[in-house]
Amino acid sequence: EGEFAYTLEKYDFISSFSNEILTASDVLAEEITKLSYKIPVNYFYPFTDVSDIVLASSSNTPRIVSVNTVNGKRKNTDELIRIYEQLKLSFPSLELVITGSIIDKAYYDELKKYISDHHIQDVSFLDDYTANWGNVSSSDIFVNTSAMETFSLTIIESLKLGVTTVVADNYAAKSMLSLGYLSPEDIYELGNITDAVEKISVKLNHFDLAKQHTTLLQKKVLREQSLEKITQSLVTAIEKYNENPRKELRYFKQQTIAVGEELNVRMQVIDEDRQVLEERLEIINQQGEVLRERLELIVKKDELLDEERSLNMGKDKLLVERLSIIEEQQEKLAMIEQSIWFKIGKKLRLL
């Protein structure tokens, strides 16, 4: 049913290869018995330890609280808000505190829009999974609207902590009712807002009586939900059977061992190949280092050649400059020589 519907087609296989099926609640065991008639179906309850949980200081003013995560239709937070909306009409100062983590952001946005559109006041989303119950006090009323739960540890925690509790009638509620951990006055019909409002209103109007009722339930749950007691059926089931009901499976034992040994040999070969590859990689890395060093030397040689080329260019420039000076000096000498001969010639003509 619901998110667990996918398991339906698997019970035939499970029944064939199991001695016994263990479920998380007596109600779930009854349902699975209908699907798996071939073998016994038993149950053991999950355990939750609340010894380290410390509730917040009591304000003596009841609030509606939820410690469930905000993760979509399964936890059914939208129903909780609609219940609170109706309660608010009769109890204007009432607050709603949702302590759990916000998992589904789109769903959370839908809730916020509904709250805004309907002008609902005094609703808090703490998004505080770490503290969780630490944000709840003994004067609060825990309302669990979950649409699907097999055996709710959250409800067990609430009862063990002595927090007044109202829950929707899912599998978990039915289990709690059969165990005497909840009374009909603590359970409302899932989807029936009016029923939920009526059940919670009675507790708000007569909170002292509700607390007395809660204290009686708390004592019963703490007494019966010890780790030793709730795991007894699990221990019994484990000790009861020595082999798988499909006896023919033993014929595959030797083959399985042989396959396992062959896999071990192959794994050893793979390990050896890996070591060889790592050694080759190390050699390649070393060769790469040598190549890098050689490349650095080549780069340095190129730099030296560039410097030598630059020096040669400087020398060429100096030679050109000197040659230019010599040429200028030769021109001047030529002019001087021409000038002297001219003077001599002139003097000769005067003679």
Side-chain angles (χ1 to χ4, degrees):
E1 184 175 323
E3 66 180 294
F4 302 111
Y6 75 95
T7 63
L8 185 62
E9 62 183 18
K10 304 181 188 301
Y11 285 113
D12 184 58
F13 174 83
I14 293 171
S15 298
S16 298
F17 287 86
S18 304
N19 299 98
E20 186 173 334
I21 293 176
L22 295 174
T23 73
S25 75
D26 53 341
V27 175
L28 186 58
E30 291 177 9
E31 292 295 321
I32 293 179
T33 299
K34 301 172 185 176
L35 304 171
S36 183
Y37 54 86
K38 298 179 182 178
I39 61 172
V41 180
N42 209 329
Y43 63 90
F44 68 98
Y45 295 117
F47 176 74
T48 181
D49 184 11
V50 300
S51 58
D52 293 333
I53 297 176
V54 179
L55 293 177
S57 299
S58 176
S59 63
N60 296 321
T61 302
R63 305 175 301 174
I64 303 301
V65 299
S66 170
V67 297
N68 291 333
T69 57
V70 180
N71 69 347
K73 295 296 183 181
R74 181 176 173 231
K75 293 301 182 183
N76 205 18
T77 311
D78 55 310
E79 182 163 294
L80 173 63
I81 291 173
R82 290 197 299 275
I83 292 169
Y84 173 73
E85 180 183 14
Q86 295 302 312
L87 286 168
K88 193 74 168 168
L89 299 176
S90 302
F91 304 92
S93 61
L94 188 64
E95 296 179 33
L96 171 60
V97 179
I98 300 169
T99 72
S101 299
I102 298 170
I103 306 299
D104 189 332
K105 183 64 166 55
Y107 181 65
Y108 168 70
D109 290 339
E110 290 177 14
L111 299 178
K112 294 290 286 183
K113 186 177 186 305
Y114 182 91
I115 291 168
S116 176
D117 290 347
H118 290 76
H119 309 290
I120 305 172
Q121 302 295 317
D122 305 317
V123 180
S124 302
F125 290 88
L126 302 186
D127 192 18
D128 188 3
Y129 176 78
T130 304
N132 218 4
W133 283 110
N135 294 307
V136 179
S137 79
S138 60
S139 61
D140 293 330
I141 298 176
F142 168 60
V143 179
N144 189 335
T145 54
S146 293
M148 170 63 71
E149 287 197 72
T150 53
F151 190 81
S152 172
L153 291 180
T154 306
I155 297 175
I156 289 294
E157 287 170 351
S158 178
L159 293 168
K160 283 185 173 183
L161 292 168
V163 178
T164 301
T165 304
V166 176
V167 303
D169 61 347
N170 51 38
Y171 280 133
K174 292 173 183 175
S175 293
M176 303 292 176
L177 185 62
S178 67
L179 290 167
Y181 296 166
L182 292 174
S183 302
E185 65 211 57
D186 305 317
I187 302 171
Y188 78 92
E189 181 186 358
L190 181 66
N192 190 332
I193 305 298
T194 301
D195 187 30
V197 170
E198 289 176 356
K199 297 284 173 63
I200 298 169
S201 294
V202 169
K203 294 182 184 297
L204 287 169
N205 285 321
H206 307 282
F207 194 70
D208 289 342
L209 290 176
K211 284 302 295 182
Q212 292 176 20
H213 172 67
T214 299
T215 301
L216 291 175
L217 296 178
Q218 179 186 26
K219 290 178 180 178
K220 180 178 178 62
V221 174
L222 286 172
R223 184 172 62 251
E224 296 181 5
Q225 285 289 309
S226 67
L227 185 60
E228 293 76 15
K229 287 187 177 181
I230 66 174
T231 57
Q232 187 56 53
S233 58
L234 174 61
V235 173
T236 301
I238 293 172
E239 293 175 344
K240 192 188 305 182
Y241 306 103
N242 294 320
E243 62 180 13
N244 193 285
R246 297 298 294 266
K247 292 181 172 52
E248 62 270 22
L249 291 177
R250 67 178 181 269
Y251 297 115
F252 296 99
K253 181 177 180 181
Q254 224 29 60
Q255 183 178 355
T256 303
I257 292 173
V259 170
E261 290 175 349
E262 184 178 348
L263 284 173
N264 285 334
V265 171
R266 291 184 179 180
M267 286 299 297
Q268 187 174 353
V269 172
I270 290 170
D271 268 348
E272 291 172 355
D273 289 344
R274 180 181 56 78
Q275 291 176 3
V276 170
L277 287 172
E278 288 178 352
E279 290 173 0
R280 289 180 178 176
L281 181 61
E282 180 63 26
I283 292 171
I284 291 170
N285 287 335
Q286 291 174 357
Q287 291 175 340
E289 186 64 30
V290 171
L291 287 173
R292 279 192 293 274
E293 291 175 357
R294 290 180 177 177
L295 182 60
E296 288 176 1
L297 289 173
I298 292 170
V299 170
K300 288 180 180 178
K301 287 181 178 179
D302 286 344
E303 290 174 353
L304 289 172
L305 287 171
D306 287 340
E307 290 178 5
E308 187 176 350
R309 192 179 297 111
S310 178
L311 287 172
N312 288 334
M313 289 176 65
K315 289 179 180 178
D316 289 344
K317 186 178 179 181
L318 286 173
L319 287 171
V320 170
E321 290 176 354
R322 289 181 180 178
L323 183 59
S324 178
I325 291 169
I326 292 169
E327 287 176 349
E328 288 178 2
Q329 289 176 346
Q330 286 177 341
E331 288 177 359
K332 287 178 181 180
L333 286 172
M335 290 175 65
I336 291 169
E337 286 176 356
Q338 288 175 2
S339 175
I340 292 171
W341 285 109
F342 175 76
K343 289 178 181 180
I344 293 172
K346 188 176 182 183
K347 287 179 178 183
L348 288 175
R349 282 194 299 272
L350 290 172
L351 293 173

